Amino acid sequence: MGHTSFDNFARLARSDLSNTTRAGRLSKQAATVADIVEDIAAKLTLESSDCLLEIGCGPGDLLLALSSRIASATGNDHPDVLANLEKRVTNGRIDTIAGNFMECAPNGTFSKILIYSVIQYLKDQAEVVAFIDKALGLLKPDGILLIGDIPNRDRKRRFMESETGRQFHKAWLLDSGDEADPFDGLPVDTDLVAIDDAFTMSLLLSLRQKGYESYAVPQPLELPFSRTREDIVIRGLRG
Ligand SMILES: C[S@@+](CC[C@H](N)C(=O)[O-])C[C@H]1O[C@@H](n2cnc3c(N)ncnc32)[C@H](O)[C@@H]1O
């Protein structure tokens, strides 16, 4: 299992960067977090009785906002990343599970599970499948797992080949100003999974063959990477 990206997020956690940047977003995208939270709450059909686990929760931009709507919230990530989340918790409502998810043994099960902007940092397609299988093992019957913000190379290529995509990219470069890439200067992760249409469809097919209703769904256009990323919603096995 490659750990370079996981360790890089821990390096960002120990830096003096903002929590927005530590979570992998540009400063200019901070204002979109509220839209992301609403989209997640709708896709997970979050209810006040829900127990939510967020795997790869980062410094908690999403989990902190979601935790006030539900019965219990648990975040998993590197211990140095969780240290930043813990500093932000004011009402004691978030439990944490420290460590690489593939090496953790979480207790109990959850009615809703969120994995957002995480699977692209795993090593290969086999690790993504194992990661999702492990998460599904923690899902209550009839629960929902949302795997969100999945970059898809084929969607990106199609978008960049369109006139809209070219104009969007030009405006994006102008608007990005001189904000540095937070990963500049950190070890380069040479072992990263390739996600494309074929892999996304193969994931959906294998999940359905295992008995899970699962769907690839778009993101609202106001979300920062909506043109090139998508989400997968998986419904737990019937109780
Ligand atoms: C781009 S950040 C997203 C954080 C948060 N989900 C959000 O959207 O605000 C990706 C996070 O996934 C975590 N992560 C990556 N691989 C992981 C693994 N194997 N186990 C647990 N967390 C992992 C990283 O440490 C990082 O904090």
Side-chain angles (χ1 to χ4, degrees):
M1 180 188 301
H3 287 222
T4 308
S5 287
F6 188 56
D7 292 340
N8 278 344
F9 279 105
R11 290 183 177 98
L12 294 184
R14 295 189 294 268
S15 74
D16 58 3
L17 292 167
S18 70
N19 284 316
T20 303
T21 311
R22 289 168 172 160
R25 297 189 181 89
L26 300 175
S27 307
K28 67 176 179 177
Q29 294 170 334
T32 63
V33 169
D35 294 327
I36 297 173
V37 167
E38 289 314 315
D39 185 45
I40 290 170
K43 284 172 175 157
L44 283 175
T45 59
L46 270 196
E47 293 168 7
S48 55
S49 57
D50 273 325
C51 305
L52 172 71
L53 168 66
E54 186 182 1
I55 302 166
C57 61
D61 285 8
L62 307 178
L63 194 57
L64 284 162
L66 295 166
S67 67
S68 61
R69 306 175 182 209
I70 53 180
S72 81
T74 303
N76 158 248
D77 212 304
H78 190 287
D80 294 350
V81 173
L82 291 179
N84 290 324
L85 165 65
E86 282 156 3
K87 278 183 218 153
R88 301 170 82 191
V89 177
T90 50
N91 55 10
R93 290 194 45 161
I94 298 186
D95 296 320
T96 53
I97 302 168
N100 186 322
F101 177 62
M102 292 309 288
E103 295 162 8
C104 292
N107 286 324
T109 53
F110 302 85
S111 57
K112 305 286 162 68
I113 299 180
L114 175 64
I115 302 173
Y116 204 88
S117 206
V118 174
I119 66 167
Q120 56 266 43
Y121 298 106
L122 301 181
K123 181 182 165 194
D124 54 25
Q125 296 185 351
E127 190 178 22
V128 171
V129 171
F131 202 89
I132 295 171
D133 279 349
K134 182 165 178 178
L136 285 170
L138 300 172
L139 192 62
K140 286 188 191 295
D142 294 318
I144 299 177
L145 165 60
L146 174 63
I147 307 169
D149 216 32
I150 307 168
N152 175 324
R153 291 177 175 191
D154 289 322
R155 285 202 72 208
K156 183 167 184 177
R157 177 183 44 75
R158 287 191 292 273
F159 181 62
M160 296 304 277
E161 284 170 1
S162 71
E163 186 50 33
T164 316
R166 281 190 283 273
Q167 295 301 332
F168 180 93
H169 188 60
K170 210 186 277 177
W172 169 268
L173 291 177
L174 282 176
D175 192 34
S176 294
D178 50 11
E179 181 163 354
D181 180 340
F183 290 95
D184 278 353
L186 298 183
V188 176
D189 196 341
T190 51
D191 270 337
L192 284 177
V193 60
I195 302 176
D196 55 14
D197 285 338
F199 180 53
T200 304
M201 296 306 140
S202 78
L203 271 180
L204 291 175
L205 181 61
S206 74
L207 287 162
R208 289 182 184 192
Q209 286 170 339
K210 289 174 195 161
Y212 294 99
E213 293 305 334
S214 42
Y215 312 90
V217 291
Q219 298 184 339
L221 283 183
E222 62 270 21
L223 264 54
F225 299 112
S226 60
R227 277 112 176 145
T228 57
R229 299 188 182 189
E230 61 199 332
D231 301 343
I232 292 180
V233 178
I234 308 169
R235 201 159 263 288
L237 299 175
R238 298 252 166 252

